[in-house]
């Protein structure tokens, strides 16, 4: 066991974030890595048991964390995203959820062997998927926009609905089995749910107004959000258990659709907090399981229940609820398979297991085992299959890492054409039709719009592009683009054209050189220099390094005016050259450079001489 509670908290943080890093480094489902890590330090090796060690604090900590995670997810639910997909989302969240509840309850009764009362409670709960498991899978799989948005909205909207269905089923059971049945309890339940929605909406509106009118300073906005989310969840939850989830969801959606100028900053902060919370909570929950719970998973009735939920209940609910919604068969097939359960299912089922046992339902003792089996198996199965299935169904943008180039000019059009010829996804973005005219002539993919505009955010699919290159003639705008998208793309994947101007002994650029993004290629090559080279006849040349023609010989052959642009690894990995580039080109790499025309003339002359010499010999 761990020596102290402080050490255990530290260990949970290290293991959680460490699992996230391992998942990122080796392209594995993060939830799977975290679940395995929690099992190893918990029931397998017995290093810690957070539920015992934290005592009465364990349940409130989990509940508050789930509330913050759910709020963060709902903060991304802008109604503008519903263009073209509102019908399938509404149908899946209502009719689909109802079908899944009834079918899941029947399966729990006839296959898992649960009583009708317990079956309907757990059937309502298991309709949830949840942002804690869906979001990491969507980032991993690079799904096309439509199925990705459907899964995201379903995960966040159905999360509180599932918890409420479980509460609703329990309230009905309580009324039916009581000595003096009364409908007052059901009326109170619906009233509490309506109150939770109104409370979330009111707090969201109030916060939005305070932020926009300057009543809350910038440095306090994120802390205020966290405190108000906790208050919103607690206030609703005290009136009726689990309505707190509904309340924070309503609050998040309200803020997301108010058009608040600082909403993106809040999203980044909340996303960072959510990653930390998801990591810690999954470690805590899996580490708190007992060995007996794990062994029960392998019983035939539990395995049979999980398989039917995955291969029958979920597909049935999706295909029936999406009839006439415009979704293709492939999209329905993907949605019908992907439904991993997560933190909400684990936490709420633990609560109901205790409540139902206290009410005299002895079969409720297997709820924790049943829930963990469903969570772990679905996360494992869907986590490893979503990318493969999406590619098979033609619903994935995954492939060679692409580049999103901001700014259309003579150089960027030629760069985009070079990337396109190497089978690398590329997209030019510019707000000017005049600037894009050359891209249209060269048949280079383009999008007309301002990269910072809200319309571009909703209309442009950025999933295929791993790199962002800001290469406009406005250095300040380039830096602003890079600063805005650093959190989304990562510091190593965001570049800007050199803002430096050559003068006498050195270079000058002003403040923009120190803001956002890495300098693309070399600081001595500004966009103006690069365009001049294109006009002077410089050409894009691709060279593969071999055992006989290595990096040293390649560099010796190139002059000081050559611009090294990017390299492509044999694995397909794309790397852009910059002064901060750590990757050293190796044998098998293809290097693309902007080469002086004299080099090309020399190569042509050498080839002609070779042909002439061969002719003379003959």
């Amino acid at each position: 066991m761990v020596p102290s509670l402080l050490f255990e908290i530290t260990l949970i943080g290290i293991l959680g974030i460490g699992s996230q890093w391992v998942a990122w480094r080796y392209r594995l489902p993060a939830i799977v890595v975290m679940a395995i890590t929690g099992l190893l330090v918990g029931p397998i090796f017995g290093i810690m048991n957070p539920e015992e060690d934290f005592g009465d604090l364990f349940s409130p900590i989990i509940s508050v964390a789930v509330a913050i995670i759910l709020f963060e997810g709902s903060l991304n639910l802008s109604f503008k995203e519903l263009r073209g997909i509102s019908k399938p989302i509404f149908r899946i969240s209502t009719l689909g959820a109802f079908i899944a509840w009834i079918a899941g309850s029947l399966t729990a009764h006839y296959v898992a062997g649960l009583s009708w009362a317990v079956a309907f409670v757990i059937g309502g709960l298991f309709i949830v998927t949840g942002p804690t498991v869906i979001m990491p899978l969507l980032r991993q799989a690079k799904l096309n926009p439509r199925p990705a948005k459907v899964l995201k909205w379903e995960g966040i909207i159905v999360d509180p609905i599932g918890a409420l269905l479980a509460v609703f089923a329990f309230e009905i059971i309580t009324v039916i089995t009581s000595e003096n049945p009364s409908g007052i309890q059901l009326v109170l339940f619906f009233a509490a749910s309506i109150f939770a929605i109104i409370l979330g909406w009111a707090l969201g509106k109030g916060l939005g107004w305070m932020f926009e009118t300057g009543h809350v300073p910038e440095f306090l906005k994120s802390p205020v959000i966290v405190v108000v989310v906790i208050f919103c969840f607690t206030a609703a939850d005290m009136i009726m258990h689990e309505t707190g989830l509904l309340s924070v969801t309503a609050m998040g959606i309200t803020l997301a659709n108010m058009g608040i100028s600082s909403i993106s900053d809040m999203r980044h902060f909340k996303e960072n907090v959510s990653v930390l919370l998801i990591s810690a909570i999954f470690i805590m929950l899996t580490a708190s399981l007992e060995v007996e719970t794990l062994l029960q998973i392998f019983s035939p009735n539990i395995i049979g229940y999980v398989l039917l939920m995955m291969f029958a209940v979920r597909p049935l609910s999706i295909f029936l609820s999406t009839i006439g919604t415009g979704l293709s068969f492939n999209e329905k097939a993907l949605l019908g398979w992907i439904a991993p359960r997560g933190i909400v299912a684990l936490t709420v089922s633990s609560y109901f297991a205790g409540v139902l046992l206290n009410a005299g339902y002895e079969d409720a003792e297997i709820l924790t085992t049943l829930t963990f089996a469903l969570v772990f198996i679905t996360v494992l199965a869907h986590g490893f299959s979503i990318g493969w299935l999406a590619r098979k169904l033609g619903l994935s943008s995954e492939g060679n890492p692409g580049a999103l180039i901001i700014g259309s000019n003579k150089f960027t059009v030629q760069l985009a054409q070079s990337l396109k010829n190497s089978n690398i996804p590329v997209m030019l973005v510019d707000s000017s039709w005049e600037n894009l005219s050359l891209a249209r002539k060269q048949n280079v993919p383009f999008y007309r719009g301002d990269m910072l505009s809200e319309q571009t955010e909703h209309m442009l699919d950025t999933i295929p592009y791993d790199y962002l290159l800001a290469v406009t003639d406005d250095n300040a705008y380039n830096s602003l683009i890079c600063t805005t998208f650093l959190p989304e793309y990562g510091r190593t994947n965001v570049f800007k054209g050199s803002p430096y101007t050559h003068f006498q002994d050195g270079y000058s650029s002003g403040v923009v050189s120190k803001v956002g993004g890495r300098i693309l290629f070399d600081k001595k090559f500004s966009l103006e220099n690069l365009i001049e080279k294109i006009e002077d006849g410089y050409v894009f040349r691709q060279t593969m390094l071999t055992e006989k023609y290595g990096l040293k010989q390649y560099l010796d052959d190139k002059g000081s005016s050559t611009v090294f642009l990017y390299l492509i690894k044999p694995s397909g990995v794309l790397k852009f050259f910059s002064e901060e580039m750590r990757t050293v080109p190796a044998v098998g790499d293809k290097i693309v450079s902007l080469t002086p025309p004299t080099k090309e003339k020399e190569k042509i002359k050498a080839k002609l001489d070779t042909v002439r010499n061969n002719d003379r010999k003959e």
Side-chain angles (χ1 to χ4, degrees):
M1 298 296 288
V2 292
S4 69
L5 190 59
L6 177 60
F7 182 82
E8 184 170 337
I9 293 172
T10 305
L11 183 61
I12 289 170
I14 292 173
L15 291 174
I17 299 302
S19 298
Q20 291 272 9
W21 182 87
V22 169
W24 165 79
R25 180 66 179 82
Y26 297 102
R27 298 180 65 84
L28 299 170
I31 300 296
V32 173
V33 179
M34 288 187 289
I36 293 173
T37 303
L39 291 176
L40 289 174
V41 298
I44 294 177
F45 293 114
I47 296 173
M48 64 180 177
N49 188 329
E51 188 170 11
E52 288 183 3
D53 299 336
F54 282 81
D56 293 338
L57 288 175
F58 182 80
S59 182
I61 289 173
I62 299 293
S63 297
V64 168
V66 171
I68 293 174
I69 292 166
L70 196 58
F71 172 77
E72 188 273 329
S74 61
L75 202 60
N76 294 306
L77 295 182
S78 170
F79 290 132
K80 293 179 180 178
E81 285 191 15
L82 290 175
R83 293 170 184 167
I85 57 169
S86 56
K87 191 174 182 179
I89 288 174
F90 176 77
R91 294 274 288 276
I92 290 172
S93 301
T94 52
L95 178 60
F98 179 76
I99 294 171
W101 178 30
I102 300 301
S105 301
L106 293 172
T107 306
H109 175 71
Y110 288 109
V111 179
L114 298 176
S115 63
W116 282 113
V118 178
F120 270 93
V121 171
I122 208 66
L125 178 60
F126 284 167
I127 69 169
V128 305
T129 52
T132 60
V133 283
I134 283 296
M135 298 304 185
L137 292 189
L138 295 182
R139 283 194 288 267
Q140 167 202 340
K142 291 188 176 181
L143 289 184
N144 287 350
R146 188 158 73 168
K149 288 178 181 178
V150 171
L151 284 170
K152 182 179 80 171
W153 275 83
E154 180 202 7
I156 294 172
I157 292 175
V158 176
D159 234 24
I161 292 177
L164 286 172
L165 274 179
V167 176
F168 175 65
F170 179 73
E171 292 296 331
I172 291 178
I173 293 165
T174 303
V175 170
I176 293 174
T177 57
S178 63
E179 294 182 1
N180 298 309
S182 172
I184 296 177
Q185 288 174 280
L186 292 180
V187 173
L188 291 175
F189 167 73
F190 285 115
S193 300
I194 294 171
F195 170 79
I197 294 173
I198 294 174
L199 175 65
W201 172 83
L203 289 173
K205 282 288 186 182
L207 269 182
W209 176 80
M210 291 178 69
F211 288 172
E212 287 297 274
T213 53
H215 286 82
V216 179
E218 290 297 322
F219 75 95
L220 276 182
K221 284 185 177 179
S222 293
V224 166
I225 282 279
V226 173
V227 172
V228 174
V229 167
I230 296 173
F231 168 77
C232 180
F233 172 78
T234 305
D237 214 54
M238 288 178 66
I239 295 173
M240 178 68 72
H241 201 74
E242 299 308 332
T243 57
L245 297 179
L246 187 65
S247 192
V248 295
T249 301
M251 178 181 165
I253 293 176
T254 301
L255 279 170
N257 291 278
M258 286 183 66
I260 300 172
S261 57
S262 57
I263 194 72
S264 60
D265 295 332
M266 286 188 284
R267 282 188 187 130
H268 295 322
F269 170 78
K270 299 293 291 179
E271 185 173 4
N272 293 336
V273 172
S274 290
V275 169
L276 182 60
L277 290 175
I278 290 171
S279 306
I281 301 271
F282 239 86
I283 297 293
M284 291 173 66
L285 288 172
T286 51
S288 298
L289 294 171
E290 301 292 337
V291 176
E292 293 76 15
T293 301
L294 296 179
L295 294 177
Q296 279 184 322
I297 290 175
F298 299 100
S299 61
N301 60 327
I302 290 181
I303 294 294
Y305 172 77
V306 171
L307 292 177
L308 281 173
M309 289 291 289
M310 294 171 63
F311 292 98
V313 174
R314 172 66 178 183
L316 180 69
S317 65
I318 291 297
F319 275 91
L320 290 180
S321 64
T322 56
I323 294 173
T325 58
L327 292 179
S328 67
F329 177 83
N330 285 0
E331 287 173 327
K332 292 179 183 179
L334 181 71
L335 297 175
W337 170 242
I338 302 300
R341 275 62 170 190
I343 288 176
V344 172
L346 275 176
T347 53
V348 180
S349 70
S350 298
Y351 162 76
F352 277 111
V355 171
L356 289 166
L357 282 171
N358 291 335
Y361 297 96
E362 296 181 2
D363 54 329
E365 65 182 2
I366 71 165
L367 286 189
T368 302
T369 303
L370 197 66
T371 306
F372 182 75
L374 186 63
V375 169
F376 190 75
I377 293 174
T378 55
V379 165
L380 197 67
H382 299 153
F384 281 108
S385 66
I386 184 171
W388 173 84
L389 182 61
R391 289 191 296 272
K392 287 293 183 182
L393 296 174
L395 300 174
S396 174
S397 303
E398 191 168 321
N400 291 333
L404 194 63
I405 304 175
I406 316 303
S408 178
N409 48 65
K410 291 181 179 179
F411 169 72
T412 56
V413 170
Q414 293 298 319
L415 176 63
Q417 186 69 55
S418 171
L419 291 165
K420 181 184 173 185
N421 292 341
S422 297
N423 295 319
I424 293 171
V426 64
M427 177 70 71
L428 269 175
V429 180
D430 202 299
S431 57
S432 167
W433 276 117
E434 183 179 353
N435 292 345
L436 289 169
S437 60
L438 189 56
R440 296 198 299 274
K441 292 176 183 176
Q442 296 286 340
N443 199 27
V444 171
F446 67 88
Y447 175 85
R448 179 181 175 272
D450 187 342
M451 193 61 199
L452 295 175
S453 74
E454 190 176 0
Q455 182 179 5
T456 299
E457 179 185 350
H458 294 300
M459 299 300 293
L460 178 62
D461 176 20
T462 60
I463 290 177
Y465 312 108
D466 296 77
Y467 297 96
L468 183 142
L469 284 62
V471 202
T472 72
D473 56 6
D474 187 338
N475 291 326
Y477 181 71
N478 292 342
S479 294
L480 181 59
I481 289 280
C482 291
T483 303
T484 302
F485 290 95
L486 267 176
E488 182 176 341
Y489 284 86
R491 191 166 298 277
T492 59
N493 291 359
V494 174
F495 300 87
K496 62 183 176 184
S498 174
Y500 289 87
T501 303
H502 188 62
F503 75 103
Q504 293 180 355
D505 302 352
Y507 295 88
S508 174
S509 67
V511 71
V512 292
S513 64
K514 302 174 178 63
V515 181
R518 297 194 292 172
I519 303 299
L520 192 59
F521 313 137
D522 191 309
K523 70 179 181 181
K524 66 184 178 183
F525 298 123
S526 65
L527 177 60
E528 184 180 353
N529 300 141
L530 294 170
I531 292 176
E532 285 178 359
K533 291 180 184 299
I534 296 294
E535 292 174 343
D536 289 342
Y538 277 59
V539 295
F540 284 78
R541 183 169 183 81
Q542 184 179 106
T543 306
M544 177 180 286
L545 300 183
T546 64
E547 294 288 351
K548 293 183 178 180
Y549 189 75
L551 180 62
K552 185 178 184 305
Q553 187 176 354
Y554 174 78
L555 294 176
D556 290 341
D557 287 348
K558 299 298 180 182
S560 59
S561 62
T562 296
V563 184
F564 301 108
L565 304 174
Y566 61 89
L567 65 83
I568 304 173
K569 292 283 185 183
S571 61
V573 172
L574 172 68
K575 295 286 183 182
F576 284 96
F577 281 91
S578 74
E579 292 188 346
E580 301 173 39
M581 182 178 180
R582 297 178 182 177
T583 302
V584 178
V587 173
D589 293 351
K590 296 177 183 176
I591 301 179
V592 177
S593 60
L594 189 59
T595 307
T598 53
K599 291 286 183 182
E600 291 302 304
K601 290 176 182 178
E602 290 174 2
K603 291 180 184 298
I604 293 171
K605 184 176 180 299
K607 289 181 180 179
L608 289 174
D609 290 341
T610 302
V611 171
R612 288 181 187 134
N613 291 333
N614 290 336
D615 291 340
R616 286 171 187 166
K617 290 177 181 178
E618 292 175 358

